[in-house]
Amino acid sequence: FRTGSDHIREKDGIWAVLAWLSVIAKLGKSVEETLLDHWATYGRNFFTRYDYEDCEAEPCNMMMSQLETLVTSSNFVGKKFSYQNETYIVKSGSNFLYKDPIDGSVATKQ
């Protein structure tokens, strides 16, 4: 089946699910056990992605420009944020690009 056409919008999600199913099958552990082992080895880490559609472009571009200025500034690393009795310290911040090794497409400002 093809993953580059319009009928599968987020092909990366499908590949991520297949990759995780492979990991779980290979380890022979539950999702919870795999997650707890990962946290025990590497600590807790987070990735969050938000997609917004049908928004006016100019306010969105301004917000992204301000966010890029913040995360690429020299004083952002080490900054502390607190929430519900937990303090989080920024280890890194960046704006990267991804080049798909299969079709060569490039996604910038990620």
Side-chain angles (χ1 to χ4, degrees):
F1 77 84
R2 291 182 45 190
T3 61
S5 67
D6 292 337
H7 71 279
I8 297 180
R9 185 162 180 229
E10 293 293 340
K11 64 183 176 185
D12 294 342
I14 292 171
W15 295 120
V17 168
L18 292 173
W20 273 111
L21 289 173
S22 297
V23 168
I24 291 165
K26 175 73 174 173
L27 295 176
K29 296 179 180 180
S30 70
V31 172
E32 181 180 18
E33 290 170 314
T34 303
L35 178 65
L36 294 175
D37 287 350
H38 176 85
W39 285 350
T41 302
Y42 303 104
R44 293 192 63 174
N45 48 29
F46 300 89
F47 172 81
T48 303
R49 174 180 166 164
Y50 298 98
D51 291 323
Y52 299 95
E53 297 180 9
D54 298 324
C55 299
E56 291 182 36
E58 189 52 37
C60 296
N61 290 334
M62 189 165 62
M63 178 196 67
M64 294 306 296
S65 177
Q66 291 171 350
L67 180 60
E68 182 176 17
T69 298
L70 172 69
V71 300
T72 59
S73 68
S74 60
N75 62 349
F76 188 62
V77 173
K79 190 168 179 73
K80 295 180 181 181
F81 295 92
S82 296
Y83 178 74
Q84 294 184 347
N85 299 320
E86 294 286 339
T87 299
Y88 303 92
I89 302 170
V90 175
K91 282 185 153 181
S92 68
S94 65
N95 191 351
F96 65 94
L97 67 87
Y98 173 77
K99 183 174 181 181
D100 189 301
I102 304 300
D103 66 13
S105 62
V106 177
T108 61
K109 297 190 174 192
Q110 299 295 303

